[in-house]
Amino acid sequence: MECFTLKSNNDLILRQLLSARLRRGEVLMLPTDTVYGLSCLADNKAAIDKIFAIKRRDLKLPLLVLVSSLKMAETYVKINKHQREVLKKIWSQARPTSVLLKHRGSLPSNLTAGSIYLALRLPKSVFLRKMIRTLQVPLVSTSANLSGQEVLDVPGALRVFKNNPRPDAALTAGKNKSRESRLLRLLDDGGLQTLRK
């Protein structure tokens, strides 16, 4: 697994390099605003399958995506005026929060595992938001680990993911920042159901 180091959120060359690898269908291990995640383009079915294989994840469990803006989210999920106002508040808060909304069916079905919902998050990471804007497609993001086991940092991943299938490359930027994001279901009336605190 090839490793790169993030030294600045404005590193255009690194952003272009990683974006090119994602467009080729690669799976990358990226730092997020929570824990290190395995990522690929959300419209690439084969790359999504590879993430399931790397994690040994049950195919019935959906994955979440990272978007660069509320406008991008509206391309992939149905958001009414009540939900839009709630989303603005949630995503302006410090706590990283992923939200389930009804999707438009425009992404591969293996991403949502047949559910009518898609989980998405607007990351706090400036680097990730810039990269997603460059790609113009959401990024899949799921914790970097084998399913049911501890979440890994890059040194841990190099030990655990030494055999194929494994991520194609990793971007290092220190240790995991926190636990996984809060997960909420956003109802049509703007109400919220907590699925993960």
Side-chain angles (χ1 to χ4, degrees):
M1 182 168 40
E2 194 172 358
C3 291
F4 303 92
T5 301
L6 179 63
K7 294 178 180 172
S8 164
N9 283 323
N10 296 314
D11 191 332
L12 176 62
I13 294 171
L14 182 59
R15 194 163 70 242
Q16 289 173 334
L17 171 70
L18 296 176
S19 295
R21 295 186 76 138
L22 288 162
R23 285 189 184 107
R24 289 198 301 265
E26 293 189 10
V27 171
L28 306 182
M29 183 173 165
L30 300 173
T32 73
D33 44 342
T34 57
V35 298
Y36 275 88
L38 298 178
S39 291
C40 69
L41 291 185
D43 62 356
N44 188 320
K45 184 180 186 302
I48 294 167
D49 282 339
K50 184 175 178 181
I51 285 181
F52 276 102
I54 291 169
K55 283 179 65 81
R56 300 176 197 163
R57 183 179 173 91
D58 187 333
L59 297 176
K60 295 176 185 172
L61 297 175
L63 298 170
L64 71 81
V65 301
L66 303 176
V67 294
S68 62
S69 65
L70 181 54
K71 184 177 179 182
M72 176 180 269
E74 289 177 309
T75 305
Y76 298 96
V77 293
K78 300 169 185 175
I79 302 174
N80 64 35
K81 63 180 182 180
H82 304 295
Q83 293 169 322
R84 188 177 297 107
E85 292 309 310
V86 174
L87 262 183
K88 286 178 185 175
K89 289 177 187 171
I90 290 171
W91 283 348
S92 67
Q93 296 169 356
R95 175 84 190 272
T97 301
S98 301
V99 178
L100 257 69
L101 286 156
K102 292 176 183 171
H103 65 76
R104 297 183 181 277
S106 55
L107 294 171
S109 59
N110 59 343
L111 178 66
T112 57
S115 169
I116 63 169
Y117 294 99
L118 173 65
L120 23 62
R121 184 167 88 247
L122 178 65
K124 307 293 181 194
S125 164
V126 173
F127 183 82
L128 281 181
R129 286 200 311 268
K130 286 182 175 182
M131 190 157 70
I132 297 164
R133 274 198 298 272
T134 298
L135 292 162
Q136 299 184 324
V137 177
L139 278 182
V140 171
S141 185
T142 179
S143 56
N145 62 344
L146 298 177
S147 283
Q149 298 188 16
E150 68 176 312
V151 178
L152 303 168
D153 56 12
V154 174
L158 290 171
R159 288 191 301 274
V160 171
F161 297 137
K162 54 189 173 202
N163 299 316
N164 284 325
R166 64 177 176 243
D168 297 288
L171 178 63
T172 64
K175 295 183 178 181
N176 284 310
K177 294 178 179 60
S178 69
R179 57 185 176 164
E180 295 173 285
S181 66
R182 178 173 57 163
L183 180 60
L184 307 173
R185 179 181 285 120
L186 181 46
L187 305 176
D188 291 344
D189 63 1
L192 294 167
Q193 290 180 344
T194 301
L195 303 178
R196 183 174 65 210
K197 292 184 179 180

